[in-house]
Amino acid sequence: MSIASGLVCPTPHAVADRVQLGHGSGGTLTAALLRDHVFPVFDNPVLRQQGDGAVIRSLGPTLVMSTDSFVVHPLEFPGGDIGLLAVHGTCNDLAMMGAHPRVITAGFVLEEGLEVALLDRVLASMGRAVRAAGIDLVAGDTKVVERGRADGLYVCTTGLGARDPRLAPLPSRARPGDAIIVSGAVGRHGMAIMAAREGLAFEAEITSDTAALWPLVDCLAHHFGDQVHVLRDPTRGGVASALTEIALASRVGMRLAEERIPVPDPVAAACAMLGLDPLYVANEGILLAILPAEQADRAVELLREHPIGAGAARIGTVVEEHPGIVTLQTPLGGTRVVDLLPGDQLPRIC
Amino acid sequence: MSIASGLVCPTPHAVADRVQLGHGSGGTLTAALLRDHVFPVFDNPVLRQQGDGAVIRSLGPTLVMSTDSFVVHPLEFPGGDIGLLAVHGTCNDLAMMGAHPRVITAGFVLEEGLEVALLDRVLASMGRAVRAAGIDLVAGDTKVVERGRADGLYVCTTGLGARDPRLAPLPSRARPGDAIIVSGAVGRHGMAIMAAREGLAFEAEITSDTAALWPLVDCLAHHFGDQVHVLRDPTRGGVASALTEIALASRVGMRLAEERIPVPDPVAAACAMLGLDPLYVANEGILLAILPAEQADRAVELLREHPIGAGAARIGTVVEEHPGIVTLQTPLGGTRVVDLLPGDQLPRIC
């Protein structure tokens, strides 16, 4: 998540005198930390853009920059590892700004005693992801800290991309009547991490969805251009938090139909067992797109032609009523409000 | 240090099967890690530039990008803190490429339980440094890990700048006959950290030299332009490692005169007491400039007009003999070879 997102904090949490795990959740505690402690220090027009990355007009008309730290535990999990996540996550933040990722940098903090073989696997993953995305890793840095001062390795990636002239997505551009589309199944990454961390065995293995989303963005840009009003990857805080942030930024309401949200059976079963809501579980390879309702069916169809978009679905509608609030209609006809998480449902998910 | 520097590794250290503290030193162990494990995975023309940052020609003719992780311990020390260091360090890497720093991003890893008051002081330092440098912090990210999985806070900053058309410094441009200039006293940062960490009391307090070096680069660019052959900030590994890397990249030798190297008395005394060589101690607010000998006196004079350049001195000469080797002439007429450190003299210095 960009430092810039989360500017709109709906609840007046005060930050306590010590940092809590929830301050890293991407939820309201993170928003409060940014609002009260970070933005007042660094306030500037670029930060105020509130995107997943920053448009750097002073250095070129179309440059976009984004940064992300990765502290996922465990370092390797079904479907990926921290290296794959670090490349995909930062490239996806650029893609959600409508920017084509071009180069990336990586800063590593290694813990003394880390197995070099594990480091090699993570680097190999990053290399594969970088080549698959058609980008270059152009600079990096390595620091080592004593045993017990990290957890294997942390990596911070920063991406630079060029804004695609066909697109101008913004969290504030959702309009009443727009359709809300998700590009694939919800909840896989978070539950894959949870299963790996806790050693849980579910009937079917849940794998992370980690993937580079630029090909889907490119497809939407080609067919719908500027009609793509909003793009967002629902990572920390899940679909619920991402949509609530958009509803707040656009001053619109949203209505989701629960039975339309694609939750794989193993994810649903694992969530039920653990008392978690898949709408709040982190994803690392799906996007939310908001565009005019008349384009929705075609958009879903086009997304489904991509392997990572095969599970695309229209899950809801933007409405004029209850601005800033996302509601979920249950199959039985009930309605409940979906809100931002205060802290982590699952810490260290990315 | 950029991932790109240290490409030239003079000694064939093999990386063991576990990461050691020395792999983060910026010395030959770091170089071996990069050579054997990182470059083969990410090899590309930009990485091969071997600079402190990367010139991103694909996105603009003059863009330069650099990244650095900061893990300094303790977080606050005489003369600065991790926040000041994180802004200065990354901006200085850009400046050493002849690039004017313009924007910066920051990725934080916070340890659960960190005092928010301490975080606020670090953020305030970063804010002051950002404003003093005339740059904007444009994006960021915050993650929190459990107690015992970090050491207060780590931060990774990435900078983007515009290459100054007056300058084209490269580690490979040192020429026999050139003068080697240092912009200020040597050894302050490392010894300030050492004193703070070990609770040592010296007769006079040693403060870190942390400072933004762009004003000095701007001055040199104005007066000498392209005659500034090499710029380098001697951080991890100190003056000795920085000059050895340049000698290797330029295939030249270097002769330093020990009595001309400005080492403050308290630094010299502390080094003597601890058995350290000030030439290997990290600096965070001085630069090495290599330019034609006939410009050397004027360059020193001009640098001395700046508060942070007041201690500037000509410390040696580039020679044709013994390429790749830096020698030090002692006041008594002896000569010794200055080499790269294999590992850390002081770990977690930045």
Side-chain angles (χ1 to χ4, degrees), chain A residues 251-310:
Chain A
R251 299 169 199 273
V252 295
M254 293 184 186
R255 286 192 192 135
L256 307 182
E258 191 170 22
E259 81 275 10
R260 288 181 171 240
I261 299 173
V263 181
D265 288 342
V267 170
C271 280
M273 197 178 97
L274 298 168
L276 299 173
D277 181 340
L279 277 186
Y280 289 95
V281 175
N283 311 280
E284 293 288 341
I286 62 172
L287 61 77
L288 296 161
I290 298 182
L291 74 184
E294 52 275 25
Q295 312 291 3
D297 291 346
R298 177 92 179 110
V300 167
E301 222 172 85
L302 288 162
L303 289 173
R304 285 186 177 167
E305 288 173 11
H306 292 261
I308 60 165

Side-chain angles (χ1 to χ4, degrees), chain A residues 1-4 15-26 30 33-34 36-38 40-47 52-56 58-59 62-63 65-71 73 87 100 102-117 119-120 122-128 130-131 136-151 154 156-162 197 236 344 347-348 350, chain B residues 1-4 15-26 30 33-34 36-38 40-47 52-56 58-59 62-63 65-71 73 87 100 102-117 119-120 122-128 130-131 136-151 154 156-162 197 236 344 347-348 350:
Chain A
M1 189 183 76
S2 162
I3 213 169
V15 173
D17 62 348
R18 292 201 177 260
V19 170
Q20 303 158 30
L21 277 175
H23 287 124
S25 66
T30 306
L33 182 71
L34 295 176
D36 297 342
H37 297 264
V38 177
V41 177
F42 296 110
D43 183 56
N44 65 60
V46 183
L47 265 192
D52 263 335
V55 181
I56 319 291
S58 66
L59 280 167
T62 65
L63 281 181
M65 197 171 180
S66 187
T67 196
D68 243 324
S69 299
F70 294 86
V71 300
H73 173 74
V87 175
H100 189 175
R102 302 290 286 277
V103 300
I104 198 169
T105 64
F108 293 92
V109 175
L110 309 180
E111 185 186 7
E112 180 189 18
L114 174 71
E115 275 183 65
V116 172
L119 176 64
D120 280 339
V122 168
L123 290 170
S125 276
M126 293 182 79
R128 275 194 301 278
V130 156
R131 285 187 294 276
D136 278 332
L137 183 140
V138 294
D141 181 65
T142 310
K143 295 282 156 60
V144 182
V145 295
E146 303 88 342
R147 268 173 214 273
R149 299 301 187 179
D151 197 4
Y154 301 140
C156 176
T157 47
T158 306
L160 192 64
R197 195 183 296 169
R236 281 184 291 181
D344 268 322
R348 293 183 59 193
C350 60
Chain B
M1 192 182 75
S2 164
I3 213 171
V15 172
D17 62 349
R18 292 202 176 260
V19 170
Q20 303 158 30
L21 276 175
H23 288 124
S25 65
T30 305
L33 182 71
L34 295 176
D36 298 341
H37 297 264
V38 177
V41 177
F42 297 109
D43 184 56
N44 66 60
V46 182
L47 263 193
D52 263 334
V55 181
I56 320 292
S58 67
L59 280 167
T62 64
L63 281 181
M65 198 171 179
S66 187
T67 195
D68 244 324
S69 299
F70 294 85
V71 299
H73 174 74
V87 175
H100 189 174
R102 302 289 287 277
V103 300
I104 198 169
T105 64
F108 293 92
V109 175
L110 308 181
E111 184 186 9
E112 180 188 17
L114 174 70
E115 274 181 66
V116 172
L119 176 63
D120 281 339
V122 168
L123 290 169
S125 276
M126 293 182 79
R128 274 194 303 276
V130 155
R131 285 187 294 275
D136 278 332
L137 184 139
V138 294
D141 181 64
T142 310
K143 296 280 155 58
V144 182
V145 296
E146 303 88 344
R147 269 173 214 272
R149 299 301 186 179
D151 197 3
Y154 302 141
C156 175
T157 47
T158 306
L160 192 64
R197 195 183 296 168
R236 281 185 291 182
D344 268 322
R348 293 184 57 194
C350 61

Side-chain angles (χ1 to χ4, degrees), chain B residues 205-222:
Chain B
E205 190 188 47
I206 302 171
T207 57
S208 168
D209 60 344
T210 180
L213 294 167
W214 175 253
L216 299 185
V217 174
D218 190 39
C219 162
L220 293 173
H222 179 71

Side-chain angles (χ1 to χ4, degrees), chain B residues 254-320:
Chain B
M254 291 183 187
R255 286 192 192 135
L256 307 182
E258 191 170 23
E259 81 275 12
R260 286 179 173 242
I261 300 174
V263 181
D265 288 340
V267 170
C271 281
M273 198 178 94
L274 298 167
L276 299 172
D277 181 340
L279 277 186
Y280 290 95
V281 174
N283 311 280
E284 294 287 342
I286 61 172
L287 61 77
L288 296 161
I290 298 181
L291 75 182
E294 51 275 26
Q295 312 292 4
D297 291 346
R298 176 93 180 109
V300 167
E301 222 172 85
L302 288 163
L303 289 173
R304 286 187 177 167
E305 288 174 11
H306 292 261
I308 60 165
R314 178 176 174 175
I315 61 170
T317 303
V318 178
V319 297
E320 237 182 298

